[in-house]
Amino acid sequence: KELLNSQQSMDNLERWTLNNSGDGNRNNMILRYAMILVDAGFDFEGIRSRVMTLNNKMPDKLDEAEILGTIMVSVGKALAKR
């Protein structure tokens, strides 16, 4: 019940990403989440904001430097190809 209450403010994509993330695949799952946002037409800042918000909801979150140095670099490259 506590898990359900803590996830009520999340949309389905955030909830799915959080529930399928664990040790060893957090970076990959957040990258998947970010690329879905790229495909949905979000801009760089919108994606960065949503990725950081989701990361802050994770019990064992990634360092901001890791997100900016890996995930957001990939997002920038994907956006440049559009």
Side-chain angles (χ1 to χ4, degrees):
K1 182 167 178 152
E2 182 180 330
L3 180 62
L4 179 64
N5 287 337
S6 69
Q7 294 183 358
Q8 283 184 334
S9 66
M10 295 182 197
D11 64 32
N12 288 336
L13 181 58
E14 287 178 323
R15 193 174 303 115
W16 182 87
T17 304
L18 185 67
N19 288 332
N20 288 286
S21 297
D23 289 343
N25 78 338
R26 289 170 299 160
N27 190 299
N28 187 42
M29 292 304 295
I30 293 177
L31 176 61
R32 285 180 176 189
Y33 173 75
M35 290 304 177
I36 291 169
L37 297 178
V38 168
D39 291 343
F42 285 85
D43 65 0
F44 186 87
E45 186 54 37
I47 295 169
R48 188 199 63 76
S49 175
R50 287 174 178 259
V51 164
M52 292 304 194
T53 299
L54 178 64
N55 186 55
N56 288 333
K57 293 177 183 177
M58 292 188 156
D60 190 18
K61 63 184 181 176
L62 298 173
D63 291 333
E64 186 174 344
E66 183 176 355
I67 291 172
L68 295 175
T70 59
I71 295 167
M72 295 311 298
V73 169
S74 298
V75 166
K77 289 177 183 177
L79 289 172
K81 289 181 181 179
R82 282 206 267 172

